[in-house]
Amino acid sequence: MRVAPLAVALSLALAGAAGAAGMTVKDEMKTVVDPATNTIFAVGGEVDPANGPDAAKVSAARWAEALAASQKLKGAAVHLVGPQKQPGEAWTKSAADFAKLADDAEKAAMKKDGAGFSTAANGLGDTCTACHSKYKKQT
């Protein structure tokens, strides 16, 4: 029996999100968010229509990777939302923005929408930078 790449990607994403429950923010960032955002940022550049006509030639396997990464971020966002992780309205807003952009990336990956995926990836980058500037100063 042959398993479709999308089914494998979905299974991996759900397993990763389920495994993230109970992690500290630091652990979840290192084990779930960092690898997923690296994939999203890379694919976001590959599919960005501003990068020329080759952006439309991204393989189905690469789109499956983008979808799986987006779904992992959605799972992580569920764990990051709310004052139980960090108190304050700014944290909650950053986590909510992160969740929305992960959802946008997932929807764009499902449609193989390069422009939409690239926009979501850029938005995630901006959200990550803004949150890190407040909660995790880069050294």
Side-chain angles (χ1 to χ4, degrees):
M1 176 173 87
R2 183 166 182 244
V3 179
L6 182 57
V8 171
L10 280 171
S11 296
L12 290 173
L14 293 174
M23 283 187 181
T24 66
V25 171
K26 182 178 179 178
D27 288 342
E28 191 160 15
M29 289 292 176
K30 285 194 175 293
T31 62
V32 179
V33 175
D34 286 352
T37 54
N38 287 339
T39 298
I40 286 175
F41 298 152
V43 176
E46 292 169 20
V47 301
D48 187 347
N51 290 335
D54 288 340
K57 296 178 183 172
V58 174
S59 70
R62 196 66 168 142
W63 276 115
E65 290 175 31
L67 178 60
S70 301
Q71 291 167 334
K72 285 179 184 178
L73 288 188
K74 279 182 67 173
V78 169
H79 301 123
L80 296 173
V81 174
Q84 72 278 9
K85 292 293 184 183
Q86 293 286 332
E89 192 174 310
W91 175 269
T92 303
K93 180 176 179 346
S94 289
D97 290 346
F98 178 81
K100 184 199 179 305
L101 289 161
D103 185 59
D104 291 349
E106 178 189 40
K107 288 175 182 169
M110 286 180 171
K111 294 187 231 174
K112 297 181 172 78
D113 171 9
F117 192 84
S118 179
T119 297
N122 288 334
L124 278 164
D126 293 345
T127 298
C128 292
T129 298
C131 190
H132 280 225
S133 72
K134 182 170 176 76
Y135 295 102
K136 184 183 184 279
K137 303 286 188 207
Q138 302 296 311
T139 56

